Amino acid sequence: MPDGVSLDDLLPRLRQLLGDRGILTEPADTAPYCEDWRRLYRGHTPAVLRPATTAELAAAVGLCAAHGAAIVPQGGNTSMVGGAAVAEDGSQLVLSLARMNRVRTIDTVDMTMEIEAGVVLKAAQEAADEAGCLLPLSISSEGSAQIGGVLATNAGGNNTVRYGNARDLVLGLEVVLPDGQVWNGLRRLHKDNTGYCLRQLFVGSEGTLGIITAAVLKLWPRPRELAVALCAVPSADAALELFGRCQRHDAAAIQAFEYMSGAGMELVLRHIPGAALPLSGPAAHYVLVEFATPRDGADLKAELEDVLGRAMADGLIGDAVIAESGAQRAAIWKLREEHSEAQKRAGASVKNDISVPVSKVPELIRRARAACEALVPGIVCVPFGHLGDGNIHFNLVQPPAADAAAFLARDHELMDAVNAVVRDLDGSFSAEHGIGRLKPYMMPEWRGGAELELMRRIKQALDPLGLLNPGKLLP
Ligand code: 2HG
Ligand code: ZN
């Protein structure tokens, strides 16, 4: 704890406020909150706070502020950049949103859902589905990630190509400010020009400006038809050309357009039980394309067959399969969604969540691969991701026989080499995972000058004591 913070006084008060279910202090209970999904950071905390309501949360934050105690807000703890990692020195309390997990309302006329921050994304999707609607946010960690964290990091995911990023789905927010005040901005208006757009300030702020406690999200009609295909393609250039053809065929039908490399697919097939390649053999590059529509009788499968058949005749596709059932669709998506897990099981890895203009994705993959192979011979390059919006996860797995710690010690060198290519292609060093604790050091070079200065002023105005998620986002 920072000087002057008395836990002896604060913790009993927090327990009184939140009740025994609302505070964990035993090391065995707090441990799961102190390690991130990638196992890059292992910290220590005197307490995990688990309020059940916005009022409880606000009162707890107010108490912490009065005591000068720092807080790390935490949802599903699935950050790829240590966005919810707690410090090693025991100076920060974890604030878990997990108990605030109610879907408050779904309005099928306004096509909105009001939902609490601790609802797991998959549960939110299912609730929307039961109401005949689609919540189009879809990310690989949706079985654990919670709405609050998803919004605080402005997650992107598989459907950005059609519906935008998390921020594009937010109509309203409820936020607890660093001093414990509650801002209720749970409006569900599509037009509301009444000053600064505060909700967008909090989306993507990674828990450094306020704690998102609830949100109003936009919904869409649930698709009646879905068609998904897995294609083996000869090159990333062919994948890009195929994307262009799908767009020209029917841009509005594309719900996802994902790229995978042969190396990534190989890791999934090796490490993930039940994963099987539904093609005649392995390939160097793959595309997963999904069409969806709320229209009845659209026959999207025939549409997809038509586009893919012509692309095959022109040599853009070597082999392809279109799912015939929901189970086959899920099996194809599993090959894509298990990429991170397979990579984790394969050993130490360095991740680059980068974006470039869509047209430059093939060049990015080529040049970043050359740069990394020159630095670490035998390195396994695993580019995959959201080709349709230009966001590639240019991930790197240690050479099979290498020492994991020695490989990880070179993470900055590898990330900087990839980022040099990204910069040259007018891209971004963080597309959808945020900055967290891993990447603040990159901010001055990429966002320095007036941009970083503005961010610092905003932080200072909202959280002058620097108590919310210290050490994240800003250098
Ligand atoms: C995905 O697209 C996630 O599956 C995770 O953004 C990517 O492991 C990663 O780097
Ligand atoms: Zn992704």
Side-chain angles (χ1 to χ4, degrees):
M1 284 274 131
D3 291 349
V5 175
S6 164
L7 280 182
D8 294 346
D9 180 40
L10 178 59
L11 293 188
R13 289 212 205 183
L14 286 167
R15 188 176 293 279
Q16 196 178 21
L17 177 72
L18 301 173
D20 283 341
R21 279 190 71 200
I23 181 165
L24 308 174
T25 49
E26 289 300 321
D29 297 331
T30 59
Y33 300 83
C34 293
E35 190 175 48
D36 67 312
W37 187 84
R38 291 181 63 188
R39 302 196 193 107
L40 292 179
Y41 306 102
R42 181 173 292 145
H44 169 67
T45 185
V48 175
L49 312 181
R50 303 174 76 245
T53 62
T54 301
E56 275 187 16
L57 189 145
V61 170
L63 257 182
C64 290
H67 282 75
I71 292 173
V72 177
Q74 203 176 89
N77 201 11
T78 57
S79 174
M80 291 284 170
V81 290
V86 65
E88 286 77 5
D89 63 1
S91 66
Q92 302 170 350
L93 302 177
V94 173
L95 179 58
S96 165
L97 278 294
R99 286 177 71 208
M100 295 180 56
N101 60 357
R102 279 186 319 132
V103 174
R104 291 182 182 165
T105 53
I106 294 182
D107 189 317
T108 57
V109 178
D110 288 334
M111 296 300 276
T112 54
M113 92 195 293
E114 185 179 319
I115 191 169
E116 292 180 356
V119 176
V120 170
L121 176 53
K122 189 150 187 54
Q125 293 166 348
E126 285 165 1
D129 189 73
E130 269 164 35
C133 301
L134 173 74
L135 173 64
L137 201 60
S138 171
I139 59 179
S140 299
S141 56
E142 63 200 21
S144 318
Q146 295 171 9
I147 293 296
V150 164
L151 298 181
T153 47
N154 184 29
N158 306 330
N159 298 341
T160 298
V161 63
R162 174 134 156 205
Y163 305 97
N165 294 305
R167 89 161 64 255
D168 301 300
L169 307 178
V170 179
L171 289 179
L173 276 191
E174 178 187 83
V175 178
V176 171
L177 303 175
D179 60 3
Q181 265 191 83
V182 181
W183 170 51
N184 184 336
L186 288 170
R187 295 186 276 263
R188 47 189 164 132
L189 305 172
H190 292 273
K191 289 188 166 175
D192 177 27
N193 273 348
T194 51
Y196 304 130
C197 185
L198 295 179
R199 69 181 188 280
Q200 294 298 2
L201 194 57
F202 294 101
V203 177
S205 69
E206 303 188 28
T208 63
L209 299 180
I211 299 163
I212 296 173
T213 48
V216 176
L217 302 178
K218 289 185 206 168
L219 300 176
W220 269 257
R222 182 173 60 197
R224 282 208 178 77
E225 266 192 43
L226 282 167
V228 64
L230 180 70
C231 313
V233 297
S235 62
D237 296 275
L240 178 65
E241 170 60 22
L242 185 59
F243 178 54
R245 286 187 181 208
C246 288
Q247 278 187 306
R248 289 189 291 277
H249 180 83
D250 186 358
I254 304 173
Q255 182 158 275
F257 196 96
E258 298 280 308
Y259 167 84
M260 288 164 279
S261 66
M265 187 66 88
E266 213 249 307
L267 291 181
V268 172
L269 296 173
R270 182 148 24 115
H271 293 288
I272 303 298
L277 189 66
L279 299 170
S280 54
H285 309 268
Y286 299 89
V287 160
L288 184 164
V289 51
E290 180 164 85
F291 284 4
T293 179
R295 258 187 311 136
D296 234 349
D299 204 353
L300 288 184
K301 213 173 136 262
E303 298 277 316
L304 206 47
E305 261 163 19
D306 179 32
V307 191
L308 301 185
R310 278 185 282 128
M312 201 176 270
D314 295 340
L316 289 175
I317 296 179
D319 190 9
V321 60
I322 299 179
E324 295 288 346
S325 64
Q328 279 180 14
R329 173 177 179 255
I332 288 176
W333 267 110
K334 180 183 167 95
L335 296 171
R336 164 63 186 85
E337 291 191 324
E338 293 289 353
H339 262 61
S340 302
E341 183 61 37
Q343 210 193 316
K344 189 172 171 180
R345 294 183 192 184
S349 64
V350 173
K351 290 179 189 283
N352 295 280
D353 165 42
I354 53 191
S355 61
V356 291
V358 177
S359 60
K360 305 216 168 148
V361 167
E363 186 180 349
L364 167 77
I365 293 175
R366 243 188 329 270
R367 288 176 57 186
R369 179 189 300 280
C372 295
E373 287 175 351
L375 276 177
V376 181
I379 194 168
V380 185
C381 296
V382 186
F384 66 94
H386 320 293
L387 194 158
D389 62 51
N391 171 201
I392 293 296
H393 303 297
F394 198 88
N395 292 355
L396 304 160
V397 177
Q398 63 171 88
D403 175 65
F407 178 70
L408 282 182
R410 300 187 67 181
D411 65 341
H412 281 203
E413 203 186 335
L414 285 162
M415 290 193 288
D416 294 350
V418 171
N419 283 341
V421 180
V422 174
R423 179 181 283 275
D424 205 40
L425 297 176
D426 301 322
S428 171
F429 69 104
S430 177
E432 62 171 5
H433 295 168
I435 306 298
R437 189 163 149 190
L438 187 65
K439 297 186 175 176
Y441 85 94
M442 297 178 189
M443 288 291 273
E445 197 185 328
W446 287 80
R447 297 288 176 261
E451 203 167 344
L452 193 49
E453 176 55 27
L454 267 176
M455 290 192 207
R456 285 205 164 105
R457 280 193 220 165
I458 292 169
K459 172 74 175 171
Q460 176 64 23
L462 271 76
D463 182 20
L465 303 176
L467 296 180
L468 277 198
N469 219 5
K472 315 290 164 44
L473 204 158
L474 294 171

